[in-house]
Amino acid sequence: MNELTFGVDDFKVIAGPCSIEDYESLYETAKDLKARGITMLRGGAYKLRTSIHSFRGLGDVGIMHMAQVGNELGLITVSEVTQTDKVEYMAKHIDILVVGTRNMHNYPLLELLGKIDKPVILKRGIAATYDEWLAAAEYIMESGNERVILCERGIRTFERETRYTLDISAIAMIKSKSKLPIIIDPSHAAGDRTLVPSLALAAIAAGADGLMIESQLNPKDSICDASQTVSPDVISMILSLAPELRSLTKKANF
Ligand code: PEP
Ligand code: MN
């Protein structure tokens, strides 16, 4: 298991597949991402899918694959916890637990995550206001865990051509209301890999503390969310532009 510092001045990119599909593909993708400077690997094992007929993840076996790949490559592991009876198991094997958009209002889950010694990424509900999102974060913090990272992943609007609408305003608004770090997930917001670089770069320029991006060696073959998954070279391009964009943002002092 790996240690983590996720501070405001410590810009991080989390990358990896939507879902853990098998050990080999996770390992190969992770190795490639690591060679490009990525230190944090994402991948879901319990997938909450709209259709019961879709692939719903490898479950506990997926978590074992993730923990093993993380240990072998020295990567920080990031994965979504979907139910209260998995909190203890996941906290034992995974470095950062994620609350997905569907569970932002799951208060019993949030309270339990307040009792673990692991950072928690709290994704914004698709229809949650800033105050509702921050109130959800408070459930975790008031229960004893201050290490909460907010993640904007797009909200539902009238626009149907993108999967959701990335709310860039969230970065400045959340920073004015809270001291919590905020990262951006351009993948779920866009639903389309061709849009991911521009949304990611916009987020960096707007002062985001990090990004979470779905990436696989063979994006089009991804079982889950293939259309929004980018290849690792896109991550390299984003990483190469990040320092310059960040320094411009710092100069502008927001
Ligand atoms: C995910 O990150 O894999 C995911 C399902 O995201 P969201 O909860 O934002 O839909
Ligand atoms: Mn996904």
Side-chain angles (χ1 to χ4, degrees), residues 3 10-11 46 49 71 90-91 94 112 137 148 156 200 203 213 230 234 254:
E3 281 306 309
D10 197 9
F11 186 80
Y46 314 98
R49 305 301 300 277
N71 273 333
M90 289 206 49
I94 298 295
L112 263 187
V148 178
R156 177 153 284 173
I213 302 178
V230 298
V234 174
F254 60 83

Side-chain angles (χ1 to χ4, degrees), residues 18 42 47 80 100-102 123 153 185 188 214:
C18 177
R42 65 149 287 150
K47 300 301 298 180
E80 180 179 346
T101 194
R102 291 167 178 80
K123 297 188 97 172
R153 45 78 71 211
D185 168 353
H188 290 87
E214 288 186 339

